[in-house]
Amino acid sequence: MGMWASLDAMWEMPAEKRIFGAVLLFSWTVYLWETFLAQRQRRIYKTTTHVPLELGQIMDSETFEKSRLYQLDKSTFSFWSGLYSEIEGTLILLFGGIPYLWRLSGRFCGYAGFGPEYEITQSLVFLLLATLFSALTGLPWSLYNTFVIEERHGFNQQTLGFFMKDAIKKFIVTQCILLPVSSLLLYIIKIGGDYFFIYAWLFTLVVSLVLVTIYADYIAPLFDKFTPLPEGKLKQEIEVMAKSIDFPLTKVYVVEGSKRSSHSNAYFYGFFKNKRIVLFDTLLEEYSVLNKDIQEESGMEPRNDGEGDSEEIKAKVKNKKQGCKNEEVLAVLGHELGHWKLGHTVKNIIISQMNSFLCFFLFAVLIGRKELFVAFGFYDSQPTLIGLLIIFQFIFSPYNEIQVWFSHRPGNPWKARARSSNLGCQLLPQSQHTAAYNRGKLKATAELVK
């Protein structure tokens, strides 16, 4: 009886209070659920102290223990950083941080001679201040993650100066993209009339396609050095694999990821007949700068195939080698190309754009509801940017969580792995390919520690 009375009392509250309470309740519910799942996983890390039978052939106990301790440290960090993030977001909402930042943006615009009628200008100042606040509050966590956790486990390759320079550069590049795109989007919404949601969706579609196209050629090189993969056996085998599934490969690059971290990665990009593959140098045993550093530090001259090395030296090199062998690289790439062959990339783009269109349509339906703005402290104005923030980030949060759950459902990775196995069998016997895939994937996901 008392519970139903409480629910009736809540329902009789003003709509704006119900909206605000529901947003906070849902946010904490999701956080607590994800924390519960993370703690279950953490218990696995703590209790699984021996190499599982399934990994016995490809991982030794020392490597497994290092990986386990790394994941324990990462889970502890994720717990505290997640708790801070949730508390920070709650306090911002409770104490009116969003309307305060909007008023502060208006004051800055006023100092420059721009009145309230320059809403787009004020919106850009708001975005600049909001992203600056986010960068500054996130900086201590990023520093701790890089120079304590990653350093402790041997992954970090950055100096503090490089880290800060990189962070500043990322912030500047982000603003150079975010502010012009946001201003055009807001302008389209303002002048688009009754069908502005269609024009806004088309605009974001074009922007996303352009950014995907130019990222690796013009944006990524601002941060990392890209060089063509030298001619040799690995490049030939990659080209043969790509040709076997009609993957329109035009170039293969190696990116200098070792100046930041010893973690490994690989990806492909491009549209239509202009596909390119990018491999981190830390993924490639033959090209890893870290392996060259090991040789220099040990005073060893590089030799072909270990000729003339004593068993002791061979063991030291084997234990310290960074990256994957050619067959492991091919197995990992086969998995990624399997996603392309099975159409997962195109399907994800289509689903993403359908979702984007739906969100803009619902935004058009809800943008006129004053109670949404009042719920978050905007009593006298209804800025378009704030409407986008409220509706996309808060009102759509249940829908977004459902969408994320469906996008991470099991299925596609296993299909891609099956395709990887098919590709690998063209180059290696089945048993060798499976072992290579397992070794390569473990290395490439950076769960192994040197």
Side-chain angles (χ1 to χ4, degrees):
M1 189 74 175
M3 183 183 71
W4 291 112
S6 299
L7 290 174
D8 288 339
M10 289 180 60
W11 190 253
E12 291 173 1
M13 293 171 63
E16 56 270 17
K17 291 188 179 296
R18 294 201 307 270
I19 293 170
F20 186 81
V23 166
L24 281 181
L25 177 62
F26 184 80
S27 177
W28 276 96
T29 300
V30 170
Y31 166 74
L32 292 173
W33 173 247
E34 291 179 346
T35 301
F36 166 71
L37 295 177
Q39 290 306 306
R40 288 183 63 194
Q41 185 64 36
R42 180 176 172 80
R43 282 197 296 272
I44 299 297
Y45 296 146
K46 295 182 78 170
T47 57
T48 308
T49 57
H50 300 287
V51 181
L53 184 63
E54 297 82 359
L55 300 179
Q57 304 263 331
I58 58 176
M59 181 182 287
D60 57 66
S61 57
E62 181 184 0
T63 301
F64 178 81
E65 180 64 11
K66 290 179 179 180
S67 176
R68 187 181 73 86
L69 294 176
Y70 176 65
Q71 294 300 335
L72 274 172
D73 278 354
K74 292 289 285 185
S75 67
T76 301
F77 174 80
S78 296
F79 171 78
W80 290 110
S81 62
L83 179 61
Y84 168 80
S85 178
E86 189 66 23
I87 292 175
E88 179 191 76
T90 300
L91 292 176
I92 287 173
L93 292 178
L94 288 175
F95 291 97
I98 297 175
Y100 170 78
L101 194 61
W102 180 257
R103 291 193 298 270
L104 183 62
S105 304
R107 285 202 291 270
F108 281 129
C109 289
Y111 298 149
F114 296 99
E117 66 275 14
Y118 290 91
E119 183 186 312
I120 294 179
T121 303
Q122 185 174 348
S123 298
L124 298 183
V125 176
F126 176 89
L127 280 175
L128 178 62
L129 294 177
T131 50
L132 180 61
F133 174 81
S134 178
L136 292 176
T137 55
L139 183 61
W141 296 99
S142 184
L143 285 168
Y144 185 87
N145 181 57
T146 301
F147 293 101
V148 177
I149 295 179
E150 297 293 304
E151 186 76 32
R152 179 187 300 159
H153 293 276
F155 289 124
N156 178 47
Q157 304 295 324
Q158 302 180 73
T159 63
L160 181 60
F162 179 87
F163 176 91
M164 296 305 298
K165 179 182 176 182
D166 208 42
I168 293 171
K169 190 188 296 185
K170 286 178 182 176
F171 182 82
I172 292 173
V173 171
T174 299
Q175 301 311 309
C176 290
I177 298 172
L178 175 65
L179 298 182
V181 169
S182 299
S183 63
L184 286 172
L185 176 61
L186 293 172
Y187 181 72
I188 289 170
I189 293 174
K190 287 286 186 183
I191 68 169
D194 293 338
Y195 299 102
F196 76 85
F197 62 93
I198 298 177
Y199 309 133
W201 168 69
L202 289 173
F203 173 72
T204 57
L205 171 61
V206 171
V207 168
S208 62
L209 294 178
V210 169
L211 287 177
V212 167
T213 303
I214 69 172
Y215 173 78
D217 289 326
Y218 299 102
I219 300 176
L222 297 174
F223 303 94
D224 298 300
K225 181 181 179 181
F226 288 73
T227 56
L229 179 67
E231 296 293 335
K233 184 178 179 182
L234 177 60
K235 185 176 181 182
Q236 292 174 357
E237 290 177 334
I238 291 175
E239 290 172 344
V240 169
M241 177 183 286
K243 188 175 181 180
S244 70
I245 59 170
D246 299 321
F247 182 79
L249 178 64
T250 55
K251 293 181 181 178
V252 183
Y253 289 110
V254 178
V255 61
E256 190 181 0
S258 54
K259 67 181 181 181
R260 285 191 178 80
S261 171
S262 57
H263 288 306
S264 303
N265 199 5
Y267 62 91
F268 67 85
Y269 70 98
F271 287 105
F272 307 113
K273 300 296 182 181
N274 189 29
K275 305 287 188 185
R276 303 172 188 191
I277 289 175
V278 177
L279 308 171
F280 278 47
D281 61 346
T282 49
L283 181 67
L284 309 176
E285 188 176 271
E286 295 183 10
Y287 302 102
S288 177
V289 174
L290 300 177
N291 291 337
K292 296 177 184 177
D293 292 341
I294 290 170
Q295 288 182 337
E296 291 173 0
E297 289 175 7
S298 62
M300 293 185 293
E301 293 293 329
R303 305 184 183 187
N304 294 328
D305 301 323
E307 291 180 3
D309 287 341
S310 68
E311 292 300 319
E312 181 181 356
I313 291 177
K314 287 180 180 179
K316 285 179 73 175
V317 172
K318 180 180 179 182
N319 288 338
K320 290 187 175 182
K321 276 284 188 180
Q322 167 74 31
C324 299
K325 297 178 181 179
N326 284 4
E327 64 267 22
E328 296 169 349
V329 175
L330 291 171
V332 173
L333 272 180
H335 178 94
E336 302 305 321
L337 294 179
H339 283 297
W340 176 84
K341 183 63 175 178
L342 294 171
H344 295 161
T345 305
V346 175
K347 291 175 185 175
N348 286 338
I349 291 175
I350 293 173
I351 292 172
S352 172
Q353 291 309 314
M354 289 174 62
N355 173 68
S356 177
F357 181 82
L358 176 62
C359 288
F360 274 114
F361 172 75
L362 294 176
F363 170 76
V365 173
L366 297 174
I367 188 62
R369 304 295 295 268
K370 186 177 180 180
E371 59 267 28
L372 292 178
F373 291 88
V374 173
F376 293 90
F378 289 84
Y379 302 99
D380 303 319
S381 62
Q382 296 178 228
T384 303
L385 177 65
I386 301 302
L388 285 167
L389 174 66
I390 291 172
I391 294 173
F392 276 75
Q393 182 170 341
F394 300 124
I395 305 302
F396 286 173
S397 53
Y399 169 74
N400 292 335
E401 291 297 328
I402 294 172
Q403 180 201 358
V404 169
W405 184 83
F406 274 105
S407 67
H408 288 86
R409 70 192 188 282
N412 286 354
W414 296 104
K415 293 177 183 176
R417 184 179 176 186
R419 172 60 63 174
S420 168
S421 181
N422 292 337
L423 288 173
C425 289
Q426 298 172 16
L427 303 172
L428 298 168
Q430 174 69 38
S431 59
Q432 291 183 31
H433 171 79
T434 301
Y437 174 85
N438 290 333
R439 292 194 306 269
K441 202 62 180 174
L442 284 168
K443 292 179 181 179
T445 51
E447 293 181 356
L448 304 184
V449 183
K450 296 182 296 183

